[in-house]
Amino acid sequence: MIPLSLTVNGKKVSLEVEARTLLVDLIRSHLRLTGTHIGCDTSQCGACVVHLNGRSVKSCSVLAVACDGDEITTIEALAGLNGELHPMQQAFADCHGLQCGYCTPGMVMTAISIAKEREHLDPSELREELHGNLCRCTGYQNIVKAIVAGAEAMKQG
Ligand code: FES
Ligand code: FES
């Protein structure tokens, strides 16, 4: 077992994990933060996306021990203290950017990264940027709408 310390959703966490433990398993099984989903075993679906030191990563493709000293943010950290949704979450709700919701945590985490990195979001470029996040339900049209609206709302503060 390997000792590990990291910050998850603003809280310091110290624990021991096996060398083979994936970040997604640390988040879901050790920390019981089950908003981060597992949708494949091939690093393709993006349901497991979290922010690692502020950048989106597929947490199923990162070893937990590689995150010693790092800062992780999961979907659970987005809502405000009184449960008010993050602007990107609200936009997904308002624009019907989800159906079953399985892909949604990963989509929202990816969307926030894209919104922070881009001044202007072009819908066709956005579709390219989303190629690492698969959705079986929506056909993507409303996800793209939601991300454009959510990015605008994030800019407004
Ligand atoms: S579970 Fe990580 S990409 Fe599918
Ligand atoms: S809303 Fe069902 S997989 Fe995307």
Side-chain angles (χ1 to χ4, degrees):
M1 299 294 273
I2 299 175
L4 179 63
S5 292
L6 63 173
T7 303
V8 180
N9 297 342
K11 290 186 193 145
K12 298 267 182 219
V13 175
S14 295
L15 69 174
E16 292 191 341
V17 295
E18 289 183 67
R20 63 180 178 168
T21 303
L22 297 172
L23 179 58
V24 70
D25 293 323
L26 174 105
I27 290 168
R28 286 179 53 86
S29 304
H30 294 254
L31 303 178
R32 311 305 294 168
L33 293 168
T34 54
T36 300
H37 292 164
I38 298 173
C40 68
D41 55 9
T42 51
S43 294
Q44 285 183 316
C45 74
C48 63
V49 170
V50 299
H51 292 173
L52 171 60
N53 299 325
R55 306 201 65 183
S56 57
V57 296
K58 290 179 172 175
S59 58
C60 71
S61 63
V62 178
L63 285 171
V65 292
C67 301
D68 195 30
D70 287 343
E71 203 160 306
I72 311 289
T73 306
T74 72
I75 192 79
E76 284 87 350
L78 296 190
L81 286 179
N82 298 319
E84 62 276 18
L85 296 178
H86 182 283
M88 189 60 77
Q89 290 175 304
Q90 190 62 55
F92 269 70
D94 293 344
C95 299
H96 307 289
L98 65 144
Q99 288 183 29
C100 78
Y102 200 85
C103 70
T104 309
M107 282 287 182
V108 168
M109 298 309 281
T110 298
I112 290 170
S113 283
I114 294 172
K116 283 183 176 164
E117 285 165 15
R118 297 274 179 285
E119 187 58 34
H120 173 70
L121 291 182
D122 173 73
S124 60
E125 282 174 14
L126 200 41
R127 284 173 180 270
E128 279 294 310
E129 300 229 23
L130 286 177
H131 73 267
N133 290 77
L134 303 181
C135 176
R136 293 282 180 133
C137 307
T138 63
Y140 297 94
Q141 184 63 28
N142 287 348
I143 289 177
V144 169
K145 259 202 242 169
I147 297 175
V148 171
E152 195 49 44
M154 282 169 65
K155 266 195 226 156
Q156 307 299 326

